[in-house]
Amino acid sequence: MQRYFVPDDQVENDHLIIQGDDYHHIVHVMRMEKGSKLICVLSCHKTALCQIEQITNERVIVRVEEWINEQTELPIQIYIAHGLPKGDKLELVIQKGTELGAASFIPFMAARSIVKWDAKKANKKLERWKKIAKEAAEQSHRGKIPDIHAPMTIDELVEFAKIADYRLFAYEEEAKQGNHRTLAAILRQMKHGQSLLAVFGPEGGFSGEEVELLKQHGFFSCSLGPRILRTETAPLYLLAAASYQFELQ
């Protein structure tokens, strides 16, 4: 059954209004008609089984048939901060990271990022990232769409990180030295409802200055096992480890 996110301001009693791209998808892609059923998720994370009552030139109006009690979100909030990588690697991280339960994505302009942030293309790029996250959240039956932040500087990132209960960065030097226990220890300490901000470098990793800055601001350096992972693989490994710790034991 198709799933759509509906803003809270599009709710009128027991009816919801669907517009924009989702309207196009319902009417022109899925070719749904009056009486068709679908799942709607509100911004407040409430989920409803709905039936289409009316289709106009611009809106689909659905009636709530049943509120559904779902629990598909990770019990902890994980913010993924990623140094801007080449090509479409960040799009992959956002798509698969959303499927794995990430709460937020924060790109940042790392010293060794080959790609430089083009302010002229910023809005278009952000909209694409948000669309990827929305579609991945619908596909994976998430109860919320992860937040996608505009790229930050490393200084802005460490300031933003103060909102998190725990902070770490994936550092390959820890893996080379065989120090593999930090991530597991942090996950074991965390309680339901707490937050973790995890930072990953671009293809070239972190500069020495970035490592020192992160450590000075309370970030723990950690390995992600004995193998060196690609920049787009590392965040997914961490999210999978968190899911195992909190959802499969």
Side-chain angles (χ1 to χ4, degrees):
M1 189 173 294
Q2 291 296 310
R3 190 179 188 92
Y4 300 94
F5 286 89
V6 180
D8 290 345
D9 60 5
Q10 299 299 312
V11 180
E12 296 180 359
N13 298 320
D14 62 344
H15 287 77
L16 312 179
I17 299 171
I18 302 174
Q19 305 177 96
D21 290 343
D22 287 338
Y23 167 88
H24 174 80
H25 190 265
I26 290 169
V27 177
H28 300 294
V29 178
M30 300 305 300
R31 299 190 180 278
M32 294 187 191
E33 301 175 342
K34 182 178 179 181
S36 297
K37 295 188 178 183
L38 45 81
I39 300 291
C40 290
V41 184
L42 305 186
S43 306
C44 61
H45 309 164
K46 293 175 65 177
T47 304
L49 171 65
C50 300
Q51 184 178 76
I52 295 177
E53 280 200 347
Q54 184 180 359
I55 299 176
T56 71
N57 290 333
E58 297 181 347
R59 309 193 305 174
V60 174
I61 301 172
V62 303
R63 177 175 53 81
V64 175
E65 288 197 336
E66 178 186 357
W67 292 103
I68 303 171
N69 183 22
E70 288 187 325
Q71 187 53 261
T72 59
E73 293 300 304
L74 269 175
I76 61 172
Q77 293 189 71
I78 299 182
Y79 306 101
I80 299 295
H82 203 297
L84 286 170
K86 294 187 295 184
D88 59 0
K89 292 178 181 178
L90 188 58
E91 294 183 3
L92 175 68
V93 170
I94 291 172
Q95 182 188 60
K96 301 307 178 186
T98 296
E99 293 178 26
L100 288 167
S104 181
F105 296 93
I106 308 116
F108 71 96
M109 295 168 275
R112 294 178 179 171
S113 287
I114 297 172
V115 174
K116 303 304 178 184
W117 182 245
D118 187 346
K120 295 180 180 178
K121 301 178 181 178
N123 289 338
K124 185 176 180 180
K125 199 74 171 178
L126 274 173
E127 286 305 311
R128 174 162 175 77
W129 290 341
K130 290 178 179 180
K131 182 178 180 181
I132 290 171
K134 177 179 179 293
E135 291 176 350
E138 290 170 343
Q139 181 274 321
S140 57
H141 288 202
R142 290 282 303 270
K144 68 182 292 288
I145 303 171
D147 295 322
I148 311 291
H149 295 264
M152 300 181 182
T153 65
I154 188 71
D155 291 319
E156 290 170 336
L157 177 61
V158 295
E159 182 65 26
F160 175 86
K162 293 178 181 178
I163 69 170
D165 297 301
Y166 293 85
R167 298 175 287 279
L168 61 79
F169 65 101
Y171 192 35
E172 65 181 40
E173 293 304 317
E174 297 288 342
K176 291 176 181 178
Q177 295 172 23
N179 301 327
H180 305 311
R181 298 183 178 180
T182 302
L183 174 60
I186 288 175
L187 292 177
R188 282 196 297 267
Q189 290 175 28
M190 293 186 70
K191 307 298 182 185
H192 286 208
Q194 289 189 312
S195 57
L196 167 67
L197 191 145
V199 186
F200 302 87
E203 291 86 353
F206 297 102
S207 69
E209 292 79 7
E210 288 171 334
V211 169
E212 289 306 311
L213 181 65
L214 291 169
K215 287 183 176 179
Q216 289 170 11
H217 285 81
F219 285 78
F220 291 96
S221 61
C222 75
S223 91
L224 300 177
R227 293 164 295 281
I228 304 302
L229 305 179
R230 290 179 180 270
T231 184
E232 67 271 29
T233 308
L236 309 182
Y237 178 101
L238 182 141
L239 287 163
S243 175
Y244 174 78
Q245 176 69 30
F246 285 93
E247 297 178 317
L248 300 182
Q249 294 198 77

